[in-house]
Amino acid sequence: MEILIVDRDGDFARRLKTKLLGMGRKADLFECCERAGESALERNYSLLIVNVEKVGDECSRFIESFNKARSTPVIVVSRNAEMETKIHHFKIGVVDYVVKPVDFEEFLARVDLQLRKRTLHSDVTSKLVFDDLTIHLSSGCVE
């Protein structure tokens, strides 16, 4: 499971990547959403972690357009604690909004939760199981 991190705060991003690697997670870092957007469309990330400063900024627009094309969960990290900004991002599909400074232990638990949900959703949508019968939805094979 790969994670895309977009944050201009290099110290935060590198520290987060190191902690994710310690959990056995791969992560790509970008400082701007434009470059991250290209990578996000080319690769199949399991989770995006994006720093947003305000409604309508480059990263906010990136999240909105990305969510129209993909169903990848997005967690926002921001120094902006304004309720209007939080609500806007939840309305455009963000699964979590965390205000900096971040408690890394709590934040990593939030990341892990989203990855577990994604795995569970993937398992649920890829096959149906009835007693001893399994139907693989992608191939149509029955076991």
Side-chain angles (χ1 to χ4, degrees):
M1 296 189 141
E2 289 188 76
I3 299 168
L4 175 67
I5 302 168
V6 186
D7 199 322
R8 287 185 175 90
D9 180 352
D11 291 337
F12 171 81
R14 283 187 296 277
R15 188 170 171 208
L16 177 58
K17 181 175 180 174
T18 299
K19 290 190 176 288
L20 289 168
L21 288 172
M23 295 171 57
R25 309 289 190 197
K26 290 178 64 177
D28 292 335
L29 296 179
F30 291 90
E31 288 187 6
C32 77
C33 282
E34 185 177 332
R35 288 195 181 136
E38 295 168 10
S39 181
L41 292 174
E42 291 171 5
R43 304 187 64 175
N44 189 23
Y45 290 104
S46 300
L47 178 68
L48 276 62
I49 300 170
V50 183
N51 181 356
V52 171
E53 296 306 318
K54 61 184 178 181
V55 172
D57 74 3
E58 175 190 7
C59 288
S60 182
R61 291 189 311 271
F62 160 71
I63 291 168
E64 190 165 10
S65 64
F66 182 81
N67 276 342
K68 290 178 182 175
R70 300 274 175 99
S71 62
T72 306
V74 179
I75 297 175
V76 165
V77 289
S78 180
R79 294 196 185 282
N80 186 339
E82 294 176 4
M83 189 58 62
E84 176 185 321
T85 302
K86 291 179 184 180
I87 290 170
H88 169 79
H89 287 93
F90 283 121
K91 285 183 177 179
I92 64 170
V94 168
V95 297
D96 205 350
Y97 190 109
V98 180
V99 177
K100 290 180 177 180
V102 170
D103 176 290
F104 273 95
E105 187 174 344
E106 177 187 348
F107 187 73
L108 293 172
R110 291 171 184 260
V111 167
D112 191 52
L113 172 65
Q114 292 305 321
L115 293 173
R116 282 185 287 133
K117 282 183 175 180
R118 182 130 171 110
T119 301
L120 178 62
H121 178 73
S122 175
D123 288 345
V124 168
T125 58
S126 65
K127 63 184 174 183
L128 296 173
V129 179
F130 303 98
D131 293 325
D132 294 334
L133 178 69
T134 302
I135 303 170
H136 297 272
L137 298 176
S138 59
S139 66
C141 294
V142 178
E143 296 176 1

